[in-house]
Amino acid sequence: MRNSLFRNPKPWLMLFTGVLFAFFLVGCGEDSPAAYGAHTTLTTSGPVADSERFLYYIILIIATVIFVIVETVLIVSIIRFRSKPGMPNPRQNHGNLRVEVLWTVIPALILFVILGVTIQGLFQVSTVPAGKSITVEAVGHQWWWEFYYPEYNITTADSLHAPVNTVVNVKLYSNNVIHSFWIPALTGKTDDIPGHNNTKWFEANQTGVYYGECAEFCGAQHAHMAFNAVIDTQDNFNTWVTTQQQAAVVPAPGSLEAQGAKIFGNACTICHGIVGHGVPGSDTKYIKGYDDPSVACADPNKACLVGPNLTHFAQRNLIAGGVLIHNRDKCLNPDNLSDCNLAKWLANPQGIKPGNDMNVNLSPSDIKALVAYLESLN
Ligand code: CUA
């Protein structure tokens, strides 16, 4: 019989639906690995995300009240006024001015309230507060994030470092496709559009690591274009900057690290840069990496790096565009790299992140030496 499911809801069906919804909700609370940081728009830390969260809650509360009222009326009507065998047709109405005015005016008022708080929020996030600030250029590549600090002339990848309680002015660049910069707990999404340089700002009020990701479909590995924001005290940030400005450590001649440096010079320098490291006998082509990527990538005469600058690779907490955690402690014993993510990545980059630009064919002994070298770049 038609609609019999709704006339006589089966207890097992209601139970199944309830359990299914519970599973969906559990999915919302999933914790990210610690290296990635908090991945939530509800636990915010900073004026931009706070303002966005406020708007979210206002709309959620209004929508929930409306939902409960409408569903209550609906369910009561279905149960109380359901037709039974032999019942006559109900009395037919046409038009009710009072009801029609009410259901036009009330939603209009609600929408005006939402419009008001939205406009207020727009002004809040467009007003950059006065005080301490730094500038970071966030360059979207396929598929990783490059961060360049024009005030300090340093470049890094996968982790955006910034001091706490400081305005971070972000300039967004891309020379390929559209990406979108998003740190859920700190700031909403803004697109990186080729040829249209967007800007945005955010500020973090608590030190910690915050998850970030690309929020615009940008190709096969869009889902693997993560990064994080490492928010530090001003002192720790200054130390980080000073370290980043140093040239790379040159390995001792004859060491495993020196072997790795040589392999790096042969196999990796088409795409990657390491500042300040010249391997004897090789040219200096790969001693680069501190060029402003927004300029270098726009100018065909400049060397825009295809892959990240690795000058201080050992300090990074994510690798391969955020697809792997940099578990450095598992990479320090050259005779046992079975759990080292860097070794796994070097052995099979196309298996881990199909379609990325890294096409290498390295022997286990090459990988051993390369891991030793890269992990020495403190
Ligand atoms: Cu870059 Cu999605």
Side-chain angles (χ1 to χ4, degrees):
M1 196 167 105
R2 212 153 53 97
N3 290 340
S4 64
L5 207 57
F6 294 100
R7 282 168 187 272
N8 306 302
K10 302 270 186 296
W12 64 265
L13 186 71
M14 290 163 75
L15 187 70
F16 175 76
T17 314
V19 170
L20 198 67
F21 269 109
F23 272 113
F24 279 127
L25 291 174
V26 165
C28 301
E30 187 200 0
D31 283 332
S32 310
Y36 288 94
H39 186 195
T40 171
T41 51
L42 299 181
T43 313
T44 54
S45 169
V48 175
D50 288 350
S51 166
E52 289 161 350
R53 187 186 58 161
F54 174 76
L55 185 59
Y56 167 80
Y57 274 126
I58 292 285
I59 294 173
L60 179 71
I61 290 166
I62 293 174
T64 305
V65 170
I66 294 171
F67 177 80
V68 169
I69 293 173
V70 169
E71 292 305 306
T72 306
V73 172
L74 180 69
I75 290 166
V76 167
S77 306
I78 288 171
I79 294 168
R80 271 201 64 189
F81 303 107
R82 65 198 299 211
S83 75
K84 296 180 185 80
M87 256 177 104
N89 272 344
R91 186 164 55 84
Q92 303 294 308
N93 286 330
H94 180 75
N96 183 325
L97 186 64
R98 190 193 295 171
V99 171
E100 283 166 19
V101 168
L102 276 179
W103 76 36
T104 307
V105 170
I106 292 176
L109 288 176
I110 292 170
L111 288 176
F112 269 110
V113 169
I114 292 175
L115 179 69
V117 286
T118 304
I119 290 173
Q120 186 212 14
L122 284 175
F123 276 103
Q124 265 175 7
V125 299
S126 68
T127 313
V128 187
K132 281 200 300 179
S133 72
I134 63 165
T135 300
V136 180
E137 294 179 3
V139 187
H141 294 262
Q142 280 172 308
W143 296 275
W144 57 284
W145 289 95
E146 181 166 26
F147 301 109
Y148 175 73
Y149 295 73
E151 290 137 345
Y152 310 113
N153 195 32
I154 53 180
T155 304
T156 185
D158 298 354
S159 280
L160 188 163
H161 287 249
V164 71
N165 294 325
T166 302
V167 170
V168 184
N169 289 303
V170 188
K171 297 182 172 182
L172 298 160
Y173 297 107
S174 167
N175 73 340
N176 41 84
V177 298
I178 299 177
H179 304 274
S180 184
F181 179 96
W182 184 33
I183 309 173
L186 299 180
T187 174
K189 305 159 183 170
T190 310
D191 281 358
D192 283 42
I193 302 170
H196 175 89
N197 299 335
N198 273 337
T199 58
K200 68 180 298 159
W201 71 277
F202 71 88
E203 181 180 329
N205 299 136
Q206 266 168 23
T207 57
V209 179
Y210 298 89
Y211 181 86
E213 66 184 331
C214 178
E216 178 75 45
F217 181 72
C218 55
Q221 292 298 328
H222 154 69
H224 287 155
M225 191 170 161
F227 66 102
N228 58 23
V230 179
I231 306 297
D232 244 324
T233 61
Q234 184 69 52
D235 283 352
N236 286 349
F237 176 76
N238 293 347
T239 309
W240 178 81
V241 167
T242 313
T243 313
Q244 294 292 311
Q245 287 172 328
Q246 314 286 315
V249 180
V250 177
S255 62
L256 185 63
E257 288 81 354
Q259 271 181 50
K262 204 157 209 167
I263 296 162
F264 185 88
N266 293 329
C268 314
T269 51
I270 298 164
C271 303
H272 293 282
I274 288 184
V275 174
H277 181 185
V279 175
S282 69
D283 62 33
T284 55
K285 216 171 62 184
Y286 62 91
I287 305 175
K288 63 186 181 186
Y290 285 173
D291 278 338
D292 179 346
S294 68
V295 177
C297 294
D299 179 353
N301 294 316
K302 293 224 172 187
C304 166
L305 294 177
V306 173
N309 168 6
L310 301 174
T311 307
H312 295 281
F313 175 83
Q315 290 199 350
R316 285 170 41 188
N317 57 15
L318 297 177
I319 58 174
V323 70
L324 293 172
I325 290 167
H326 181 203
N327 55 351
R328 184 162 189 260
D329 54 322
K330 299 278 194 286
C331 303
L332 297 177
N333 177 4
D335 296 319
N336 181 11
L337 297 174
S338 54
D339 292 324
C340 168
N341 281 341
L342 174 60
K344 287 181 196 168
W345 171 250
L346 291 172
N348 190 9
Q350 290 304 322
I352 291 172
K353 199 165 174 176
N356 87 83
D357 285 329
M358 186 145 144
N359 287 293
V360 285
N361 196 0
L362 299 161
S363 70
S365 64
D366 287 351
I367 291 172
K368 189 171 153 178
L370 267 174
V371 169
Y373 174 53
L374 291 170
E375 296 299 356
S376 76
L377 298 172
N378 246 314

PDB file of all heavy atoms in Angstrom, residues 141 143 145 177-180 214-219 221-223 225, ligand 1:
ATOM      1  N   HIS A 141      50.516  26.667  -4.816  1.00  0.00           N
ATOM      2  CA  HIS A 141      51.080  25.852  -5.891  1.00  0.00           C
ATOM      3  C   HIS A 141      50.199  24.615  -6.039  1.00  0.00           C
ATOM      4  O   HIS A 141      49.375  24.323  -5.177  1.00  0.00           O
ATOM      5  CB  HIS A 141      52.508  25.410  -5.551  1.00  0.00           C
ATOM      6  CG  HIS A 141      53.505  26.538  -5.464  1.00  0.00           C
ATOM      7  ND1 HIS A 141      54.333  26.877  -6.502  1.00  0.00           N
ATOM      8  CD2 HIS A 141      53.811  27.387  -4.461  1.00  0.00           C
ATOM      9  CE1 HIS A 141      55.116  27.892  -6.139  1.00  0.00           C
ATOM     10  NE2 HIS A 141      54.813  28.219  -4.903  1.00  0.00           N
ATOM     11  N   TRP A 143      50.563  20.961  -5.453  1.00  0.00           N
ATOM     12  CA  TRP A 143      49.533  21.263  -4.486  1.00  0.00           C
ATOM     13  C   TRP A 143      50.200  21.438  -3.146  1.00  0.00           C
ATOM     14  O   TRP A 143      50.290  20.504  -2.361  1.00  0.00           O
ATOM     15  CB  TRP A 143      48.496  20.140  -4.446  1.00  0.00           C
ATOM     16  CG  TRP A 143      47.756  20.002  -5.731  1.00  0.00           C
ATOM     17  CD1 TRP A 143      46.644  20.715  -6.117  1.00  0.00           C
ATOM     18  CD2 TRP A 143      48.014  19.133  -6.828  1.00  0.00           C
ATOM     19  NE1 TRP A 143      46.218  20.334  -7.376  1.00  0.00           N
ATOM     20  CE2 TRP A 143      47.067  19.365  -7.837  1.00  0.00           C
ATOM     21  CE3 TRP A 143      49.021  18.178  -7.091  1.00  0.00           C
ATOM     22  CZ2 TRP A 143      47.046  18.689  -9.057  1.00  0.00           C
ATOM     23  CZ3 TRP A 143      49.003  17.512  -8.303  1.00  0.00           C
ATOM     24  CH2 TRP A 143      48.019  17.764  -9.258  1.00  0.00           C
ATOM     25  N   TRP A 145      51.552  24.870  -0.215  1.00  0.00           N
ATOM     26  CA  TRP A 145      51.564  26.305   0.076  1.00  0.00           C
ATOM     27  C   TRP A 145      52.991  26.765   0.351  1.00  0.00           C
ATOM     28  O   TRP A 145      53.710  26.154   1.125  1.00  0.00           O
ATOM     29  CB  TRP A 145      50.703  26.617   1.302  1.00  0.00           C
ATOM     30  CG  TRP A 145      49.248  26.466   1.052  1.00  0.00           C
ATOM     31  CD1 TRP A 145      48.491  25.353   1.312  1.00  0.00           C
ATOM     32  CD2 TRP A 145      48.357  27.438   0.492  1.00  0.00           C
ATOM     33  NE1 TRP A 145      47.183  25.588   0.948  1.00  0.00           N
ATOM     34  CE2 TRP A 145      47.072  26.845   0.445  1.00  0.00           C
ATOM     35  CE3 TRP A 145      48.516  28.745   0.033  1.00  0.00           C
ATOM     36  CZ2 TRP A 145      45.957  27.524  -0.044  1.00  0.00           C
ATOM     37  CZ3 TRP A 145      47.411  29.411  -0.462  1.00  0.00           C
ATOM     38  CH2 TRP A 145      46.148  28.807  -0.493  1.00  0.00           C
ATOM     39  N   VAL A 177      46.352  27.800 -10.846  1.00  0.00           N
ATOM     40  CA  VAL A 177      44.883  27.777 -10.829  1.00  0.00           C
ATOM     41  C   VAL A 177      44.405  28.493  -9.559  1.00  0.00           C
ATOM     42  O   VAL A 177      45.207  28.974  -8.775  1.00  0.00           O
ATOM     43  CB  VAL A 177      44.341  26.327 -10.856  1.00  0.00           C
ATOM     44  CG1 VAL A 177      44.755  25.624 -12.128  1.00  0.00           C
ATOM     45  CG2 VAL A 177      44.823  25.546  -9.638  1.00  0.00           C
ATOM     46  N   ILE A 178      43.102  28.540  -9.357  1.00  0.00           N
ATOM     47  CA  ILE A 178      42.567  29.196  -8.156  1.00  0.00           C
ATOM     48  C   ILE A 178      42.671  28.242  -6.970  1.00  0.00           C
ATOM     49  O   ILE A 178      42.266  27.081  -7.043  1.00  0.00           O
ATOM     50  CB  ILE A 178      41.095  29.618  -8.370  1.00  0.00           C
ATOM     51  CG1 ILE A 178      40.994  30.611  -9.532  1.00  0.00           C
ATOM     52  CG2 ILE A 178      40.532  30.248  -7.097  1.00  0.00           C
ATOM     53  CD1 ILE A 178      39.566  31.016  -9.852  1.00  0.00           C
ATOM     54  N   HIS A 179      43.246  28.739  -5.884  1.00  0.00           N
ATOM     55  CA  HIS A 179      43.256  28.033  -4.605  1.00  0.00           C
ATOM     56  C   HIS A 179      42.493  28.891  -3.600  1.00  0.00           C
ATOM     57  O   HIS A 179      42.092  30.013  -3.921  1.00  0.00           O
ATOM     58  CB  HIS A 179      44.694  27.820  -4.107  1.00  0.00           C
ATOM     59  CG  HIS A 179      45.577  27.103  -5.083  1.00  0.00           C
ATOM     60  ND1 HIS A 179      45.650  25.738  -5.163  1.00  0.00           N
ATOM     61  CD2 HIS A 179      46.416  27.571  -6.042  1.00  0.00           C
ATOM     62  CE1 HIS A 179      46.508  25.393  -6.112  1.00  0.00           C
ATOM     63  NE2 HIS A 179      46.983  26.489  -6.667  1.00  0.00           N
ATOM     64  N   SER A 180      42.319  28.382  -2.395  1.00  0.00           N
ATOM     65  CA  SER A 180      41.672  29.199  -1.371  1.00  0.00           C
ATOM     66  C   SER A 180      42.320  28.946  -0.022  1.00  0.00           C
ATOM     67  O   SER A 180      42.480  27.807   0.405  1.00  0.00           O
ATOM     68  CB  SER A 180      40.170  28.879  -1.322  1.00  0.00           C
ATOM     69  OG  SER A 180      39.544  29.743  -0.396  1.00  0.00           O
ATOM     70  N   CYS A 214      43.598  24.137   1.652  1.00  0.00           N
ATOM     71  CA  CYS A 214      43.080  24.768   0.450  1.00  0.00           C
ATOM     72  C   CYS A 214      41.596  24.442   0.366  1.00  0.00           C
ATOM     73  O   CYS A 214      41.189  23.297   0.511  1.00  0.00           O
ATOM     74  CB  CYS A 214      43.811  24.234  -0.776  1.00  0.00           C
ATOM     75  SG  CYS A 214      43.176  24.918  -2.316  1.00  0.00           S
ATOM     76  N   ALA A 215      40.777  25.476   0.151  1.00  0.00           N
ATOM     77  CA  ALA A 215      39.327  25.276   0.188  1.00  0.00           C
ATOM     78  C   ALA A 215      38.683  25.510  -1.175  1.00  0.00           C
ATOM     79  O   ALA A 215      37.502  25.805  -1.260  1.00  0.00           O
ATOM     80  CB  ALA A 215      38.709  26.193   1.237  1.00  0.00           C
ATOM     81  N   GLU A 216      39.475  25.418  -2.245  1.00  0.00           N
ATOM     82  CA  GLU A 216      38.923  25.587  -3.589  1.00  0.00           C
ATOM     83  C   GLU A 216      39.476  24.454  -4.445  1.00  0.00           C
ATOM     84  O   GLU A 216      40.697  24.253  -4.468  1.00  0.00           O
ATOM     85  CB  GLU A 216      39.358  26.947  -4.157  1.00  0.00           C
ATOM     86  CG  GLU A 216      38.907  27.243  -5.563  1.00  0.00           C
ATOM     87  CD  GLU A 216      37.427  27.592  -5.634  1.00  0.00           C
ATOM     88  OE1 GLU A 216      36.972  28.390  -4.793  1.00  0.00           O
ATOM     89  OE2 GLU A 216      36.736  27.054  -6.512  1.00  0.00           O
ATOM     90  N   PHE A 217      38.601  23.742  -5.132  1.00  0.00           N
ATOM     91  CA  PHE A 217      39.080  22.601  -5.921  1.00  0.00           C
ATOM     92  C   PHE A 217      40.118  23.061  -6.939  1.00  0.00           C
ATOM     93  O   PHE A 217      39.861  23.955  -7.734  1.00  0.00           O
ATOM     94  CB  PHE A 217      37.924  21.899  -6.627  1.00  0.00           C
ATOM     95  CG  PHE A 217      38.409  20.713  -7.423  1.00  0.00           C
ATOM     96  CD1 PHE A 217      38.835  19.565  -6.778  1.00  0.00           C
ATOM     97  CD2 PHE A 217      38.495  20.768  -8.803  1.00  0.00           C
ATOM     98  CE1 PHE A 217      39.328  18.486  -7.493  1.00  0.00           C
ATOM     99  CE2 PHE A 217      38.984  19.690  -9.528  1.00  0.00           C
ATOM    100  CZ  PHE A 217      39.386  18.550  -8.868  1.00  0.00           C
ATOM    101  N   CYS A 218      41.315  22.463  -6.880  1.00  0.00           N
ATOM    102  CA  CYS A 218      42.426  22.951  -7.690  1.00  0.00           C
ATOM    103  C   CYS A 218      43.152  21.821  -8.406  1.00  0.00           C
ATOM    104  O   CYS A 218      44.292  21.965  -8.811  1.00  0.00           O
ATOM    105  CB  CYS A 218      43.396  23.726  -6.798  1.00  0.00           C
ATOM    106  SG  CYS A 218      43.976  22.770  -5.386  1.00  0.00           S
ATOM    107  N   GLY A 219      42.498  20.684  -8.556  1.00  0.00           N
ATOM    108  CA  GLY A 219      43.129  19.583  -9.278  1.00  0.00           C
ATOM    109  C   GLY A 219      43.109  18.310  -8.456  1.00  0.00           C
ATOM    110  O   GLY A 219      42.524  18.259  -7.370  1.00  0.00           O
ATOM    111  N   GLN A 221      44.981  16.659  -6.498  1.00  0.00           N
ATOM    112  CA  GLN A 221      45.416  16.550  -5.105  1.00  0.00           C
ATOM    113  C   GLN A 221      44.944  17.730  -4.251  1.00  0.00           C
ATOM    114  O   GLN A 221      45.586  18.093  -3.267  1.00  0.00           O
ATOM    115  CB  GLN A 221      46.946  16.409  -5.046  1.00  0.00           C
ATOM    116  CG  GLN A 221      47.448  15.098  -5.610  1.00  0.00           C
ATOM    117  CD  GLN A 221      46.931  13.900  -4.825  1.00  0.00           C
ATOM    118  OE1 GLN A 221      46.730  13.972  -3.632  1.00  0.00           O
ATOM    119  NE2 GLN A 221      46.690  12.794  -5.522  1.00  0.00           N
ATOM    120  N   HIS A 222      43.824  18.323  -4.641  1.00  0.00           N
ATOM    121  CA  HIS A 222      43.268  19.435  -3.858  1.00  0.00           C
ATOM    122  C   HIS A 222      43.084  19.039  -2.387  1.00  0.00           C
ATOM    123  O   HIS A 222      43.403  19.809  -1.480  1.00  0.00           O
ATOM    124  CB  HIS A 222      41.934  19.866  -4.482  1.00  0.00           C
ATOM    125  CG  HIS A 222      40.997  20.512  -3.533  1.00  0.00           C
ATOM    126  ND1 HIS A 222      41.239  21.754  -3.004  1.00  0.00           N
ATOM    127  CD2 HIS A 222      39.833  20.089  -2.993  1.00  0.00           C
ATOM    128  CE1 HIS A 222      40.248  22.076  -2.182  1.00  0.00           C
ATOM    129  NE2 HIS A 222      39.392  21.084  -2.156  1.00  0.00           N
ATOM    130  N   ALA A 223      42.613  17.811  -2.166  1.00  0.00           N
ATOM    131  CA  ALA A 223      42.361  17.376  -0.792  1.00  0.00           C
ATOM    132  C   ALA A 223      43.653  17.210  -0.002  1.00  0.00           C
ATOM    133  O   ALA A 223      43.625  17.129   1.219  1.00  0.00           O
ATOM    134  CB  ALA A 223      41.579  16.061  -0.788  1.00  0.00           C
ATOM    135  N   MET A 225      46.224  19.402   0.007  1.00  0.00           N
ATOM    136  CA  MET A 225      46.925  20.687  -0.026  1.00  0.00           C
ATOM    137  C   MET A 225      46.710  21.362   1.325  1.00  0.00           C
ATOM    138  O   MET A 225      46.053  22.387   1.439  1.00  0.00           O
ATOM    139  CB  MET A 225      46.390  21.538  -1.181  1.00  0.00           C
ATOM    140  CG  MET A 225      47.232  22.768  -1.441  1.00  0.00           C
ATOM    141  SD  MET A 225      46.755  23.584  -2.964  1.00  0.00           S
ATOM    142  CE  MET A 225      47.468  25.192  -2.667  1.00  0.00           C
TER     143      MET A 225
HETATM  144 CU1  CUA B   1      44.725  24.265  -3.918  1.00  0.00          CU
HETATM  145 CU2  CUA B   1      42.626  23.198  -3.642  1.00  0.00          CU
END
